[in-house]
Amino acid sequence: FRTRFIEKFWPELAEMSGIEHSKEYHPEGNVWEHTLEALKHRKNDDLILSMALLLHDIGKTAASGSKEKPFMEHAEIGVNLGRTFLKRLSFSRTFIDDVVFLIKYHMLPAAMEKLPVYRMEKALQHPLFPVLLDTICDYDRMICLYSIFPKLQELERRPGAPVPTRPCFDPE
């Protein structure tokens, strides 16, 4: 932030440096430091992935909640903030939709063991779902991928239900 470029041109990103994280969940410190760590650990330089990682917690700047859960609905808030940010940078609608999918569902894998399949079906069927599991969740180490495999099998067994267009992972 030495040059003040980010504050001047991308203030929504600059705001992340003022939002502290619980050291228990994110020892990096604030939301900006966590975001930089996520970017450092990405598996490739794909622009959709990079933008999703850059913006995955942007909703925390506008979220409110309790002391126990200070960032309620930050993913949903992040969808709107991320979409606005990317539109301002003139990205295509398809690009924005892909990034927004990853922002919207970045917390889903942590909850998958507890959710019924019908609550996750739309996300599971999205072509970027494997990216969500493989990269975003890999960094945060939210869950073991094998713990959600039964959910994917259940989805495949449902009569007439569409299944993900490509496998997320192979448990064997």
Side-chain angles (χ1 to χ4, degrees):
F1 293 101
R2 288 176 283 177
T3 65
R4 302 272 181 226
F5 177 88
I6 292 176
E7 291 95 330
K8 183 174 181 178
F9 294 99
W10 302 325
E12 54 271 82
L13 298 182
E15 288 180 40
M16 291 193 282
S17 68
I19 308 296
E20 291 299 316
H21 263 149
S22 163
K23 301 286 189 230
E24 180 181 345
Y25 297 106
H26 297 297
E28 309 92 346
N30 64 42
V31 174
W32 181 247
E33 292 298 324
H34 167 69
T35 298
L36 295 178
E37 277 301 303
L39 283 165
K40 277 190 226 175
H41 289 88
R42 69 188 185 272
K43 292 184 176 183
N44 61 59
D45 292 333
D46 176 74
L47 189 56
I48 291 171
L49 170 64
S50 297
M51 280 299 197
L53 288 170
L54 178 67
L55 300 172
H56 80 281
D57 277 346
I58 197 168
K60 289 182 178 180
T61 62
S64 60
S66 64
K67 185 176 180 177
E68 297 80 31
K69 294 182 178 185
F71 304 118
M72 292 296 293
E73 299 182 3
H74 80 277
E76 294 82 1
I77 295 166
V79 164
N80 295 325
L81 293 174
R83 186 176 298 282
T84 300
F85 179 80
L86 294 168
K87 280 182 182 178
R88 198 171 75 240
L89 296 177
S90 300
F91 283 101
S92 72
R93 181 176 178 202
T94 302
F95 180 89
I96 293 170
D97 288 346
D98 287 348
V99 172
V100 163
F101 168 82
L102 294 171
I103 295 169
K104 181 177 182 176
Y105 291 108
H106 82 272
M107 297 295 292
L108 176 64
M112 287 182 80
E113 288 181 283
K114 299 173 192 141
L115 293 173
V117 171
Y118 77 89
R119 298 261 326 265
M120 304 179 288
E121 197 166 344
K122 184 177 178 183
L124 290 170
Q125 294 168 3
H126 195 283
L128 285 176
F129 183 74
V131 173
L132 183 71
L133 287 179
D134 187 44
T135 307
I136 293 180
C137 300
D138 182 56
Y139 167 69
D140 278 339
R141 304 274 188 249
M142 288 195 240
I143 60 165
C144 170
L145 296 181
Y146 293 106
S147 66
I148 63 165
F149 187 70
K151 300 279 186 176
L152 296 174
Q153 287 178 316
E154 180 182 334
L155 182 62
E156 288 176 347
R157 285 192 300 267
R158 291 176 64 188
V163 295
T165 57
R166 56 185 177 189
C168 299
F169 53 87
D170 184 358
E172 297 179 19

